Amino acid sequence: TTVAAPSGSAQQQQQQRPAATTATPAAASPPLLLRWLHTPHIAADRFVHVDGVMTTPQFAALWTMLFCNVTAGIGVLAVAKTLLDDVFGAALPALVAAHGTTYVVLLSVCNAGGRLLWATASDVGHAGRRATYAALFATSIPAFLAVAWCGGAAMGG
């Protein structure tokens, strides 16, 4: 009978292992916040391995912006009817009573439509994800200011 010989020595097998298996243990690395602060800028055309993505400043900035936008969106949707009653209830009670629920439904539909629009623009458009998200962030500031201005103008202020 013939016994198959191993494909190489233990030293050769050690060299063939991926680099991720020989990385330093997590206990030896600095805290995540310090790694975010000390990670140099990563260019868009450079590859970042999935194990290192969460240590980049870009990830921290993207996560923070996404968290703030989602929190604000959910907060507005949760209190939209009450907000409408408080802001316009005294000045336009008949309008609020007749169309308050329609306003909340339209707000939700526009929220969902915007999510689909921005996601499609990001994935299909030629500008790319970075430019699309920058445009989303840049247009949200004037949109929120316009809502505040329109609310103040409707209240006579």
Side-chain angles (χ1 to χ4, degrees):
T1 62
T2 308
V3 176
S7 61
S9 68
Q11 184 179 12
Q12 289 173 339
Q13 290 177 358
Q14 178 73 17
Q15 290 173 351
Q16 292 175 355
R17 289 185 183 161
T21 61
T22 60
T24 59
S29 63
L32 186 60
L33 181 60
L34 292 178
R35 284 184 284 170
W36 280 343
L37 296 174
H38 293 33
T39 303
H41 176 73
I42 297 174
D45 59 344
R46 291 189 14 212
F47 175 79
V48 179
H49 192 269
V50 70
D51 293 338
V53 167
M54 290 179 37
T55 63
T56 63
Q58 290 86 353
F59 178 81
L62 183 64
W63 190 91
T64 302
M65 287 173 54
L66 181 66
F67 175 78
C68 291
N69 282 333
V70 168
T71 303
I74 291 172
V76 168
L77 286 174
V79 298
K81 180 73 166 85
T82 306
L83 186 63
L84 188 66
D85 288 339
D86 289 347
V87 173
F88 298 108
L92 306 166
L95 184 67
V96 171
H99 300 290
T101 305
T102 305
Y103 166 75
V104 174
V105 169
L106 283 175
L107 191 64
S108 299
V109 168
C110 289
N111 183 19
R115 290 175 188 273
L116 292 173
L117 172 89
W118 287 110
T120 303
S122 171
D123 292 342
V124 178
H126 299 290
R129 287 182 176 91
R130 180 179 288 192
T132 301
Y133 201 77
L136 167 67
F137 187 68
T139 56
S140 66
I141 294 170
F144 289 133
L145 292 175
V147 168
W149 180 80
C150 289
M155 294 303 294

